[in-house]
Amino acid sequence: MAPTGTVSLKLLVESTDQRVLFAEAGKDFVDFLFSILSLPVGAVTGLLTKQDIVGCLGNLYVSLESLSETYIQPTANKDTLLKPMVSNYTANVPRLLPNLQSSTSTINLYRCNGGYSTCRTYIANDSKSICPTCDSVMSHKATFVNPPERAASSSDEGGYVKGVVTYMIMDDLVVRPMSTISCITLLNKFSVKDVGVLEEKAIDFGMDEGVKLLKASMQSKSVLTDVFLGKKVGQREVTNPLAVYIRDLGNAHE
């Protein structure tokens, strides 16, 4: 079972513009980020509210959720779409998203108990499925057999990435191994001349932050700033020369 709780990371914040330049994190946080790619669309939509989703997927989800069973095929199960199993939620990846059902923890498989030889070749994950050969309900529970366990090597840490280095996660979730050269290159990219404007913030990242990050990753290119500073890059006040001219013109006539 994957560990729960929180993971730690450090943010490098530019205090002048109040934006996150990058986060410094270990294997656990990077494993979590990459595990998002394994989530089915239905699982992602179910974790977010209708207002959190850009586009129409929220409407599609709510439509199926509210549709009466009268209109659903008797062999179909709405939960296979609304609450899909996460088939690749790798062991040792921090569980930082709520209500995810892992198919590795509970696997129910069913087969037909018919007399035809081809009946036994079909497997279903729903006990209401119909056998393509004899049209019987596939309600006979089958036993799932795991492959032989591979002997774990001393370097096998589970998850996706190795823990031998610290990782740099950019505001737009670009991930790369951290190095002195990459830090200097990044500061030059953002034209940071005075290191005095840089602040380091230690963050405990839990399930609440996990849902916020999932939401922001679908809506924004400044995910870390949005999640941890609550402010989108570019939302600070910007002076509009035309607006200033109109305002000054109005003041001149008062």
Side-chain angles (χ1 to χ4, degrees):
M1 183 67 66
T4 59
T6 61
V7 299
S8 300
L9 59 150
K10 295 179 182 178
L11 306 179
L12 187 66
V13 178
E14 185 187 17
S15 59
T16 304
D17 292 331
Q18 279 297 292
R19 62 178 172 177
V20 176
L21 298 185
F22 65 86
E24 176 185 334
K27 164 186 168 55
D28 48 6
F29 184 69
V30 176
D31 278 343
F32 163 70
L33 289 180
F34 287 153
S35 73
I36 291 175
L37 298 175
S38 72
L39 299 180
V41 173
V44 173
T45 309
L47 286 170
L48 306 178
T49 65
K50 180 180 176 182
Q51 293 75 22
D52 290 335
I53 299 174
V54 175
C56 303
L57 278 178
N59 295 337
L60 195 61
Y61 188 94
V62 172
S63 296
L64 178 59
E65 188 177 42
S66 59
L67 191 64
S68 170
E69 293 289 344
T70 304
Y71 305 103
I72 302 296
Q73 289 281 1
T75 57
N77 185 347
K78 291 199 295 185
D79 281 350
T80 59
L81 298 177
L82 298 176
K83 301 174 184 177
M85 294 289 187
V86 180
S87 61
N88 196 28
Y89 209 73
T90 304
N92 297 325
V93 173
R95 297 182 66 87
L96 298 175
L97 290 173
N99 304 323
L100 289 180
Q101 301 182 63
S102 175
S103 62
T104 58
S105 57
T106 54
I107 300 177
N108 291 321
L109 299 176
Y110 303 90
R111 61 178 176 82
C112 173
N113 204 27
Y116 296 100
S117 59
T118 53
C119 289
R120 302 295 180 91
T121 62
Y122 298 108
I123 296 290
N125 61 3
D126 191 317
S127 60
K128 295 184 293 184
S129 299
I130 300 298
C131 175
T133 297
C134 66
D135 293 331
S136 298
V137 178
M138 300 175 67
S139 58
H140 192 79
K141 195 167 184 178
T143 301
F144 181 82
V145 179
N146 284 307
E149 290 190 7
R150 183 184 58 177
S153 66
S154 58
S155 61
D156 189 357
E157 305 167 274
Y160 296 102
V161 299
K162 295 182 178 180
V164 294
V165 297
T166 300
Y167 294 89
M168 173 187 287
I169 299 93
M170 312 302 294
D171 201 11
D172 59 359
L173 298 188
V174 170
V175 178
R176 59 170 67 104
M178 192 166 184
S179 68
T180 303
I181 293 177
S182 60
C183 290
I184 295 174
T185 301
L186 184 64
L187 294 180
N188 288 333
K189 175 183 176 181
F190 288 106
S191 301
V192 177
K193 306 298 183 184
D194 180 11
V195 294
V197 303
L198 302 178
E199 298 177 356
E200 183 182 279
K201 291 188 177 183
I203 298 294
D204 289 327
F205 189 96
M207 281 194 177
D208 287 344
E209 292 78 14
V211 174
K212 290 177 182 177
L213 186 144
L214 177 63
K215 171 187 172 182
S217 67
M218 301 178 69
Q219 299 179 335
S220 173
K221 296 276 188 190
S222 55
V223 175
L224 300 183
T225 295
D226 297 350
V227 172
F228 298 113
L229 301 184
K231 176 182 178 182
K232 290 182 180 295
V233 173
Q235 283 191 337
R236 60 188 183 278
E237 183 178 351
V238 178
T239 303
N240 186 319
L242 180 58
V244 172
Y245 174 77
I246 294 174
R247 182 196 63 195
D248 293 343
L249 186 63
N251 292 337
H253 288 283
E254 291 181 358

